[in-house]
Amino acid sequence: MKVSLTVLQLSGILDRTRGNELRREIGGLLANGTNIFLLEMKEIKLIDSTGLGALVSIMQMVENANGKLFLCSISDQVRMLFEMTKVDKIFKIFTDQEEFNRKVLVILSGDKKG
């Protein structure tokens, strides 16, 4: 599988409007061959229920296209929301982009040892 990574820097409030924009943006990227997404979330101040729903639906969309979605740099407030709603169990979350690069990119771009 050819690895095509896109890192999206999110900021502000993730609500219905921003969630729909993100869904369309990722849908377009998937159509153009991107298959690995990292959502950099350190500038996200708040996620409401519609934003959370959008993230879950985006993850399903990416997985249905045989892609992978990762999150990194979530705030304590967002982490608490994820834990309360149990979505921390379905998302692959990294401390920061550095950890993602170490743990995921090395595997994806390195030699595939069975």
Side-chain angles (χ1 to χ4, degrees):
M1 168 176 96
K2 181 177 175 288
V3 174
S4 177
L5 168 70
T6 296
V7 178
L8 297 170
Q9 308 277 344
L10 307 183
S11 62
I13 297 172
L14 185 53
D15 56 9
R16 179 186 315 273
T17 304
R18 183 61 184 117
N20 286 336
E21 289 168 359
L22 189 59
R23 194 180 293 118
R24 280 192 299 275
E25 184 177 0
I26 288 179
L29 289 164
L30 279 168
N32 288 324
T34 299
N35 56 5
I36 308 291
F37 296 89
L38 176 63
L39 303 184
E40 165 62 75
M41 300 184 69
K42 75 174 159 233
E43 298 297 321
I44 288 286
K45 304 298 180 226
L46 177 75
I47 299 179
D48 72 7
S49 60
T50 59
L52 197 58
L55 280 178
V56 171
S57 117
I58 286 166
M59 189 188 67
Q60 291 167 335
M61 179 175 71
V62 168
E63 286 182 349
N64 289 341
N66 294 317
K68 295 194 181 307
L69 177 73
F70 302 95
L71 309 179
C72 75
S73 307
I74 64 173
S75 69
D76 289 342
Q77 187 176 6
V78 170
R79 183 176 303 279
M80 282 190 334
L81 171 69
F82 281 10
E83 288 169 359
M84 284 184 340
T85 56
K86 305 279 191 265
V87 298
D88 61 317
K89 306 281 187 255
I90 60 171
F91 287 114
K92 293 173 186 79
I93 303 170
F94 294 94
T95 308
D96 53 28
Q97 213 169 325
E98 202 51 50
E99 184 188 25
F100 169 80
N101 291 343
R102 267 196 328 273
K103 294 187 174 173
V104 176
L105 277 192
V106 168
I107 294 164
L108 292 174
S109 59
D111 51 332
K112 313 266 187 301
K113 294 179 181 157

